[in-house]
Amino acid sequence: MIHQDILNYNNSKSTEDKAICDKLLEIIQKHLSDFENKVWHAHPVWFDNGNPIVGYDKLKNGVRLMFWSGASFEESELKLGSGKFKDASKTYTSVDEINDTDVESWLLKSREIQWDYKNIVKRKGVLERLK
């Protein structure tokens, strides 16, 4: 089930950004409907046993789809994060840019490849691989 706060988040966006958010929500829910979802740090995020794995947020230059463990997916379409963590993302400025097959592939990888962000504070910033 989709958390109401996520629907409110999407509905608060401009027409094009809402279309992007709605499309991402549709694809994510199709593949991760069994995962917890909520607005976390002001944007929609899906969790596997309390560990954040995917989310999206509105940035100045578009809507960013982010995978917390995406750097380990080895996908050229995903832009690596700062290097401190294992995140990678893709930014969209139009719903037409979303390739369903790519996003579905990344979501399947997000189930199989995970770093433990849930316990990062307890480990003083050290990430350990879960899967």
Side-chain angles (χ1 to χ4, degrees):
M1 191 152 111
I2 301 167
H3 196 285
Q4 183 62 45
D5 289 347
I6 292 176
L7 299 175
N8 294 344
Y9 177 92
N10 287 11
N11 290 333
S12 73
K13 303 302 171 230
S14 69
T15 303
E16 186 62 37
D17 291 337
K18 181 182 181 323
I20 295 167
C21 291
D22 287 347
K23 180 67 173 178
L24 293 174
L25 174 60
E26 174 189 327
I27 299 168
I28 293 169
Q29 272 304 109
K30 179 179 174 185
H31 295 279
L32 301 181
S33 63
D34 54 326
F35 286 13
E36 175 191 9
N37 60 78
K38 63 184 176 183
V39 171
W40 186 58
H41 295 289
H43 62 276
V45 177
W46 280 255
F47 297 83
D48 183 4
N49 292 315
N51 198 44
I53 62 167
V54 64
Y56 56 85
D57 61 332
K58 170 65 178 125
L59 302 176
K60 190 175 184 178
N61 62 338
V63 176
R64 174 180 63 170
L65 174 65
M66 188 178 94
F67 294 91
W68 269 256
S69 301
S72 298
F73 296 178
E74 299 180 359
E75 292 282 346
S76 61
E77 287 292 313
L78 292 175
K79 180 183 175 191
L80 299 181
S82 64
K84 183 178 178 185
F85 299 113
K86 305 295 184 186
D87 62 297
S89 63
K90 173 88 175 176
T91 301
Y92 301 100
T93 57
S94 167
V95 71
D96 297 331
E97 296 173 348
I98 299 173
N99 180 316
D100 292 31
T101 304
D102 285 348
V103 176
E104 290 169 0
S105 172
W106 303 333
L107 289 168
L108 292 175
K109 287 184 178 188
S110 74
R111 285 181 170 274
E112 302 300 320
I113 301 169
Q114 289 184 31
W115 290 85
D116 187 7
Y117 285 93
K118 178 180 167 183
N119 295 303
I120 195 168
V121 173
K122 183 167 50 173
R123 291 199 181 99
K124 298 182 181 2
V126 176
L127 277 174
E128 289 186 8
R129 180 106 181 231
L130 291 173
K131 299 179 182 182

